[in-house]
Amino acid sequence: MSHLLHIDSSIQGDASISRKLSAHAAQRWAQAHPGGTVTYRDLAAEPIPHFDAASGLARNIPAEQHTPAQAESFALSQRLIDEIKAADTVILGLPLYNYGAPSIVKAWVDHLIAAGLSFDPTTGAGLLGDTEFIVLESQGGGYGEGTPRAGWDHAGKWIVSGVSPTGLAPRVITAELTMAPVNPAMADLIPLHEKSYAAALAEIDTLWPATEATA
């Protein structure tokens, strides 16, 4: 039976474009995988703890040397990695905050980098490469080639390298200029936003062919 891990991270609630994209993708996945199961994780509602001096080294020292705080942190990493191992597909809604990924997503990724759990400590080979990983990014502005802030998107690009030790290979689908409908100064960019959003939805619809739903 197919299994989906659906993750959101936006703090915008119902106003979030990344949540709308991930919900559309999850619905599309479910239509293509009748009988499939879903695990949902909301990083904004239940943040993953950031690494700190008390627990951050848990993945770098032997388990028998763990302090209670380190043991708790390592157990969380194991749970998060097991969620991915149990999934055929992971969908992550990824908003762009201050030109980067939300810190709660960075904390999630930090927990995924664990020798023996997500990569082989001897060979360095990732252990999660069999899982499909779809990242749905929303950008308030536009950062493509030729724009005034070209290259300022440090979320979609980062996630690819950030999870690479695990073997995950994200496919990033982006909707840009999401602030255009709510920022009067960007009103003339609304048509470009609508085009970008429609293109993102269309690309999502190609991920899991409708024929799977009736196979």
Side-chain angles (χ1 to χ4, degrees):
M1 182 179 295
S2 298
H3 184 68
L4 169 68
L5 174 59
H6 176 189
I7 303 173
D8 279 320
S9 60
S10 171
I11 60 176
Q12 294 287 336
D14 292 341
S16 165
I17 296 297
S18 68
R19 286 179 182 268
K20 289 181 172 65
L21 291 173
S22 75
H24 181 84
Q27 181 181 45
R28 185 69 185 82
W29 182 93
Q31 291 170 347
H33 300 84
T37 55
V38 179
T39 294
Y40 180 70
R41 179 175 286 278
D42 190 336
L43 297 177
E46 297 183 53
I48 302 299
H50 292 78
F51 287 177
D52 57 22
S55 65
L57 293 177
R59 283 138 294 272
N60 302 91
I61 60 177
E64 61 271 18
Q65 297 179 20
H66 283 169
T67 66
Q70 289 168 343
E72 182 179 0
S73 180
F74 188 81
L76 176 57
S77 286
Q78 190 158 26
R79 288 199 302 274
L80 295 173
I81 291 167
D82 284 346
E83 284 184 348
I84 295 175
K85 289 181 176 178
D88 300 284
T89 299
V90 176
I91 292 170
L92 170 66
L94 180 69
L96 181 70
Y97 289 164
N98 300 317
Y99 313 114
S103 66
I104 50 178
V105 175
K106 178 61 164 60
W108 177 71
V109 170
D110 284 343
H111 275 274
L112 299 183
I113 312 303
L117 299 180
S118 62
F119 67 91
D120 187 303
T122 301
T123 66
L127 303 177
L128 307 182
D130 291 337
T131 302
E132 179 183 38
F133 188 20
I134 307 300
V135 175
L136 303 170
E137 182 184 9
S138 61
Q139 302 175 350
Y143 307 98
E145 186 176 351
T147 63
R149 292 176 176 171
W152 286 34
D153 166 23
H154 301 293
K157 294 178 181 178
W158 162 80
I159 194 75
V160 174
S161 56
V163 300
S164 61
T166 71
L168 288 169
R171 175 170 175 173
V172 181
I173 298 174
T174 302
E176 63 176 2
L177 299 168
T178 62
M179 290 297 296
V182 296
N183 184 347
M186 297 174 65
D188 59 330
L189 299 174
I190 290 177
L192 290 177
H193 158 65
E194 292 176 342
K195 181 179 179 180
S196 177
Y197 183 64
L201 294 176
E203 186 173 351
I204 290 169
D205 288 342
T206 68
L207 295 174
W208 306 287
T211 53
E212 291 186 24
T214 56

